[in-house]
Amino acid sequence: MVKEIRVTLRNAGKIDPESIEDYIRAGGYLALAKAKKTEPEKLIDEIEHAGQLRGRGGAGFSTGYKWRGAYSTACDQKYVICNADEGEPGTFKDRTIIENDPHTILEGMLICAYAIGAREGFIYVRGEYGHCIELLKKAVADAEAKGLTDGVKIHVTSGAGSYVCGEETALLTSLEGKRGEPRLKPPFPTVAGYLGKPTVVNNVETFATVPVIVDKGAEWFRKIGDPSYPGTKVFCLSGDVKNKGVYELPTDATIDDLVNGFGGGVIDGHQVKAIQMGGGSCGFITAENMGLALNYDALRPAGVSLGSGAILVLDEEHNMAEFVRGTSHFFAHESCGKCAPCREGTSRLEEAMDAICEGRDVEKNIGLIQKLAQGMRMSCFCPLGQGAGNPILSALRLFPDDFRGKAPESAKEDA
Ligand SMILES: Cc1cc2nc3c(=O)[nH]c(=O)nc-3n(C[C@H](O)[C@H](O)[C@H](O)COP(=O)(O)O)c2cc1C
Ligand code: SF4
């Protein structure tokens, strides 16, 4: 079995997260000093060479490419933003990173600010993460007091609990003090982001990984994990598994390594029925795909993705129709209402799932969901609506009997 490799979580449990001295003793802020001796373009090259350090927030976009976009857009004011909204169901890794090592995120942001030429930044933290907000505020104040921020002003702000505000353009609108709704892309934030200025938005885990790459070099990082997606990924293992928690694994580790190895297998001697891969809008796999590695290329043939790193295990006692009924409630509640296909569509999906689970017009509602989900994928304004039908379609394909009332009597109700 593969070993847990701690790159992003290298200081977890080893330093006091409230102590900047502890972080510095562990080698903290050396990467920032090294970065500042490097030409910004060369620094961005290094991040790109680290297998493009694909963003760890869900979309997997190249961090180096993003930084280059903001760097090469001429403007007197640029911004760096850390997305710590962490609203994805089953995701709690950013919280773990912040609670254990807030300075590494700040250091990653300051390196980015130097690379792109930003003098101001924001950490947008999920409102419920009160302790994280305090830790980050202290980290910023302590770094400022030691002159480490070099005049770059980092603000710590909190979201008001909307899931869509984790989407980068909605986050920007929310930060600007407006109603948190996504905006059209292009222009991308690297060209016109916060207040219309070039802005880099990266996830907590992405920023926390940057100092290690700068310190140890892209070559070192590329040797870890799968070449198509080098390095490690921090996973959130939850559901019907013995050892739920946060695990940082190289990207060539398999789902089996995570669930049965680190996770200790399914509770009460039960079997895996389904695993939801990547978050609430993502699809499921069954036990036969547990040999797949935890990276984008390996998972693609099974029709699933890594997403935010949420891995939710469901045992055979679950009825999958009931489970995705719960998901449909979530999307109907979180739809921001900006566009009609999602505003109406998520409510219709919810109604259809309620009807199916109550045994009303089952075939008609299955047909409706199939058409609706397809239409929403093509017409919704942002990925929230586009993906709202995904988990239902995936469950329907893998477990049709659960939708047609033929599931075992003992099936658990999740809604
Ligand atoms: C509905 C929705 C919610 C999202 N929530 C988050 C979130 O909570 N945290 C996050 O980092 N990215 C989230 N994202 C992805 C961001 O839009 C963006 O891709 C990410 O912050 C970029 O950082 P990265 O390149 O480092 O991954 C969300 C996207 C969507 C569509
Ligand atoms: S798809 Fe949904 S969440 Fe996205 S803009 Fe439209 S209404 Fe808002």
Side-chain angles (χ1 to χ4, degrees), residues 55-57 66 83 85-87 163 166-168 201-203 206 383:
R56 278 14 186 188
K66 197 183 269 187
N83 188 344
D85 198 45
E86 193 155 70
Y163 169 57
E167 192 280 332
E168 57 184 8
V201 182
N202 272 134
N203 172 253
T206 313

Side-chain angles (χ1 to χ4, degrees), residues 225-261:
D226 189 272
S228 69
Y229 180 57
T232 57
K233 173 84 190 81
V234 183
F235 294 100
C236 313
L237 183 63
S238 65
D240 301 322
V241 66
K242 282 183 199 148
N243 308 320
K244 302 179 225 317
V246 172
Y247 299 91
E248 182 172 4
L249 300 182
T251 54
D252 54 358
T254 64
I255 303 167
D256 188 59
D257 288 330
L258 178 61
V259 174
N260 287 323

Side-chain angles (χ1 to χ4, degrees), residues 164 180-183 331 334-343 346 379-386:
V164 82
E181 290 176 346
R183 37 198 215 214
F331 284 113
E334 294 296 341
S335 168
C336 80
K338 175 179 172 124
C339 68
C342 171
R343 189 177 61 236
T346 50
S379 60
C380 284
F381 188 82
C382 87
L384 186 151
Q386 289 157 12

Side-chain angles (χ1 to χ4, degrees), residues 45-344:
D45 281 350
E46 189 73 359
I47 298 295
E48 270 199 322
H49 289 149
Q52 313 218 327
L53 177 60
R54 293 174 69 172
R56 278 14 186 188
F61 191 75
S62 159
T63 303
Y65 191 82
K66 197 183 269 187
W67 289 19
R68 194 176 302 287
Y71 167 76
S72 46
T73 307
C75 192
D76 56 344
Q77 186 74 43
K78 298 182 185 181
Y79 296 96
V80 51
I81 293 177
C82 175
N83 188 344
D85 198 45
E86 193 155 70
E88 191 61 51
T91 311
F92 39 86
K93 67 182 175 76
D94 293 344
R95 173 181 179 168
T96 302
I97 297 170
I98 299 168
E99 285 181 346
N100 281 281
D101 198 5
H103 281 283
T104 193
I105 301 154
L106 183 58
E107 187 174 6
M109 289 179 73
L110 292 170
I111 292 171
C112 174
Y114 167 76
I116 66 166
R119 306 295 303 158
E120 195 170 354
F122 297 86
I123 312 178
Y124 186 96
V125 194
R126 182 187 171 119
E128 292 93 330
Y129 286 2
H131 182 49
C132 293
I133 293 170
E134 292 314 311
L135 278 174
L136 286 164
K137 281 186 174 164
K138 179 166 182 357
V140 172
D142 290 350
E144 272 176 0
K146 284 200 178 296
L148 289 162
T149 53
D150 197 16
V152 175
K153 187 73 203 154
I154 303 286
H155 312 268
V156 180
T157 59
S158 79
S162 153
Y163 169 57
V164 82
C165 284
E167 192 280 332
E168 57 184 8
T169 62
L171 184 154
L172 292 170
T173 354
S174 159
L175 257 187
E176 289 168 2
K178 299 176 214 146
R179 193 185 154 113
E181 290 176 346
R183 37 198 215 214
L184 199 63
K185 291 195 277 192
F188 292 97
T190 48
V191 175
Y194 180 63
L195 301 177
K197 307 285 185 184
T199 304
V200 162
V201 182
N202 272 134
N203 172 253
V204 166
E205 186 185 343
T206 313
F207 276 132
T209 310
V210 165
V212 195
I213 295 173
V214 173
D215 181 28
K216 300 200 172 186
E219 277 311 308
W220 173 85
F221 188 73
R222 284 170 73 96
K223 286 190 189 124
I224 304 170
D226 189 272
S228 69
Y229 180 57
T232 57
K233 173 84 190 81
V234 183
F235 294 100
C236 313
L237 183 63
S238 65
D240 301 322
V241 66
K242 282 183 199 148
N243 308 320
K244 302 179 225 317
V246 172
Y247 299 91
E248 182 172 4
L249 300 182
T251 54
D252 54 358
T254 64
I255 303 167
D256 188 59
D257 288 330
L258 178 61
V259 174
N260 287 323
F262 294 97
V266 180
I267 48 165
D268 301 331
H270 290 179
Q271 302 294 314
V272 167
K273 175 163 181 171
I275 302 178
Q276 189 169 32
M277 301 288 303
S281 62
C282 300
F284 301 89
I285 59 150
T286 54
E288 66 195 31
N289 279 325
M290 285 176 69
L292 295 178
L294 287 158
N295 62 71
Y296 288 95
D297 284 3
L299 294 174
R300 197 169 297 119
V304 287
S305 180
L306 269 193
S308 63
I311 310 288
L312 174 68
V313 179
L314 300 170
D315 71 15
E316 74 274 25
E317 295 211 332
H318 288 270
N319 177 297
M320 295 302 293
E322 288 289 355
F323 183 81
V324 293
R325 179 189 196 182
T327 314
S328 71
H329 292 322
F330 172 78
F331 284 113
H333 182 253
E334 294 296 341
S335 168
C336 80
K338 175 179 172 124
C339 68
C342 171
R343 189 177 61 236
E344 295 301 321

